[in-house]
Amino acid sequence: MLIAPSILSADFGNLTSEVQKVCQAKADMLHIDVMDGHFVPNLTFGLPIVEAIDNASTIPLDIHLMVEDNSFFVEMFAPLKPRFISFHFESEKHHHRVIQKIKEFGISPAIAINPATSIESVKEVIKYVDMVLLMSVNPGFGGQKFIPIYHKIKEVKKVAPTVLVEVDGGVNDLNAPKLKEAGVDILVAGSYVFKHSNYEQAIKSLRV
Ligand code: DX5
Ligand code: ZN
């Protein structure tokens, strides 16, 4: 199981050292929450900041778009060659077009789905991506309460057995064992890691 700390909960006044610390703490990927203030009621990082994060990082970026204009942001971040770019099923009319665009840049495409979106309704899309990002909070903010979406992990694996499953939102040491048991491949954790006094211990406690 891979652990991708979400930089959204880091101390932005010390961004470089936060990135270095979490890389040294044996994180596998750095999760970057890109919000446009339209799809979600919050605004986060543009290219210069994500570039600065990437320069300080020794591990791959995992870019989670929470935006209305997916193509625009794919083109913005693709030159950084992140490991994944996820976009929201709920924000896009032309899913296969965006997936194709991400693939053309040589990046693994992923589809993110809100807690209220069923796997049944996205099954025509998940066959075409490398990863499904299951939101376990409504997107927009760190530090929210975990919504149990354990059953959706198994549903994804049933429809698309080789597709990776990432869970994002309210992940901590209490729900991680159950998520692992349900078959999750990647855990995103923001406040749990960055509010912990020891990042390495926090990451280790999620691997269970
Ligand atoms: C929420 C973001 C998450 C968030 C997770 O919209 O997608 O990645 O940073 O933060 P925690 O782990 O604190 O819920
Ligand atoms: Zn996220």
Side-chain angles (χ1 to χ4, degrees):
M1 200 166 63
L2 301 181
I3 309 296
S6 167
I7 206 74
L8 187 61
S9 295
D11 172 5
F12 294 154
N14 294 295
L15 198 49
T16 302
S17 81
E18 287 281 75
V19 170
Q20 288 166 345
K21 263 171 70 184
V22 87
C23 290
Q24 279 159 14
K26 305 192 178 75
D28 299 293
M29 292 194 295
L30 213 47
H31 186 82
I32 311 289
D33 290 302
V34 176
M35 307 183 188
D36 67 350
H38 293 277
F39 176 62
V40 290
N42 196 5
L43 194 58
T44 57
F45 321 110
L47 185 61
I49 294 184
V50 180
E51 256 173 352
I53 293 170
D54 193 35
N55 287 337
S57 175
T58 54
I59 57 178
L61 300 188
D62 172 34
I63 296 190
H64 177 191
L65 300 179
M66 284 157 275
V67 302
E68 280 182 357
D69 191 343
N70 291 297
S71 294
F72 175 81
F73 283 95
V74 167
E75 281 168 22
M76 179 184 289
F77 292 112
L80 300 182
K81 296 276 171 231
R83 175 71 185 82
F84 295 100
I85 295 183
S86 310
F87 67 98
H88 267 263
F89 179 80
E90 299 83 2
S91 77
E92 183 56 52
K93 290 193 202 106
H94 308 294
H95 301 94
H96 298 87
R97 182 177 294 155
V98 178
I99 290 168
Q100 194 51 41
K101 189 185 271 284
I102 298 170
K103 280 188 178 165
E104 277 163 16
F105 283 109
I107 297 161
S108 294
I111 192 83
I113 68 168
N114 282 344
T117 302
S118 71
I119 301 305
E120 174 64 23
S121 63
V122 300
K123 67 173 197 269
E124 289 309 318
V125 173
I126 66 182
K127 295 170 191 161
Y128 295 88
V129 294
D130 292 332
M131 180 175 86
V132 175
L133 193 175
L134 295 177
M135 291 301 298
S136 40
V137 296
N138 285 286
F141 303 95
Q144 302 180 80
K145 189 171 178 274
F146 179 81
I147 299 168
I149 43 78
Y150 302 107
H151 58 288
K152 289 168 106 178
I153 301 171
K154 291 202 174 100
E155 286 171 28
V156 172
K157 297 282 182 187
K158 218 182 225 172
V159 177
T162 60
V163 168
L164 297 170
V165 176
E166 178 175 61
V167 171
D168 180 12
V171 170
N172 56 34
D173 58 338
L174 301 175
N175 49 38
K178 223 175 145 187
L179 289 164
K180 188 182 183 187
E181 196 187 306
V184 74
D185 300 292
I186 303 155
L187 289 179
V188 175
S191 47
Y192 179 71
V193 170
F194 285 99
K195 303 282 177 257
H196 202 286
S197 56
N198 183 322
Y199 295 172
E200 187 164 350
Q201 248 175 42
I203 289 170
K204 201 171 158 205
S205 74
L206 293 174
R207 289 196 205 277
V208 287

